[in-house]
Amino acid sequence: MRRPSPRSLAVAALLTVLSAYGPISTDVYLPSLPDMMRVFNASVSDVQMTLSVFITGLAVGMLVHGPLSDRYGRRSVLLIGGLIYCLGSLACLFAPSIGWLIAGRFVQAIGACAGPVVARAVVRDVYDRQDAARLMSYMASAVALAPAIGPLIGGWLHSAFGWQANFVAMVIFGVVVLLASALLLEETNRQPSPQSIHPGRLLLAYGRLLRSPLFLGYGLVIGFTFSGLFSFVSGAAFVVISLLGVSEHHFGLVFACVIAGFMSGAFTSGRLSHRLGLKRTIAIGCIGLVLFGACGALLAAVDATHAPGLWGLASVVAPTAGYFFCSALVLPNSTASAMVPYGAVAGAASALLGFVQMAIGAIAGVIVGLLFSTSALPLMAQIAVCGTLALVAFLGLVHRHEKAV
């Protein structure tokens, strides 16, 4: 069977879906989190750990899948990862305890991380820097449909069938994507490197990347920006459902309002970066992260003195949607800028970027569970801190070492 060109619309759509492995695997079951506390007799931090351990698994798996894709090719790594994801989803579906569910989520993540790692590496294989940034922006806009639609579907599934129905959906998703990958994606790594998985060479490659102020700077910008997003993803269900009284069925509508910010930002990013350049677009995004983060923390502090209600919901959703909008200006452009100089080790570069992003995000998720209280202030303050750190990393490393592009 002849597969379509790697630059075709069909492959671009597949790469977009592959990039959505993570959002789909987290956002679909968000409405079930409060109820899972009752089902498993678990605490907020225990249930939240199913999110953080997934992000940790993504981080660890990326360090493995990236170099393997440089050595054995993108396609084979993707197919094996897809199979692991399906097995992990089945383990979650039949989990008898919260500990079993956490373990299943880790296995699920090890497979899921092959999707975004391979997708970024394929984009790097096929496109130049400007085109890669533009494609990643439009991919990010489409990927944002997953967290926008996921909680809506998850809330309906939970209301109709219970929390396990969400993991049935993940199993089906995994099987469909695995089959699509096998049918559509041809190998884009034309020069596999036998040395890419040698421990010494691998350490040298990672060391070279980390010694680059630009790569490290972009990695930290991505990591801190994402940690703000993941802080909201981790804490949204507990704040919106448990504190503000929104039902599981309607939680998806609230979440969709926030994701609409990211979608519009991703669409704007593709055009803005073409006019202003990648660096200026990232700078605008980082400044916006700080402004919207500070606004959210301030509104939450004021709202903490009032009874939860419509004002409390608006004070969380509006500034967070603004933060998500600015995140879409930062993430795809930073990813493209960081990876383009490292074509020979694109898989390793993609893996290390993903590791930094997910590791910082996992830490942020754990902190959300530990700081959960009777108001939205801890969550919104943490988002503000993440945005500020992203701007500091941009000014301290990226702006100092890269000319405007």
Side-chain angles (χ1 to χ4, degrees), residues 197-205:
I197 59 172
H198 187 279
R201 293 292 183 92
L202 189 55
L203 289 176
L204 287 175

Side-chain angles (χ1 to χ4, degrees), residues 13 41 62 71 100 134-135 137 210 221 259 271 305 318 335 347 361 387 392:
N41 191 26
M62 283 180 178
R71 171 61 183 89
W100 184 278
R134 188 175 300 111
L135 177 60
S137 292
L210 290 174
V221 168
I259 298 304
R271 299 189 173 190
T305 63
T335 300
V392 169

Side-chain angles (χ1 to χ4, degrees), residues 129 214 218 279 337 397-405:
R129 178 177 181 174
L214 275 179
Y218 280 123
K279 183 182 174 184
S337 297
L397 290 170
V398 175
H399 182 66
R400 290 179 58 187
H401 294 91
E402 183 177 48
K403 298 178 180 179
V405 292

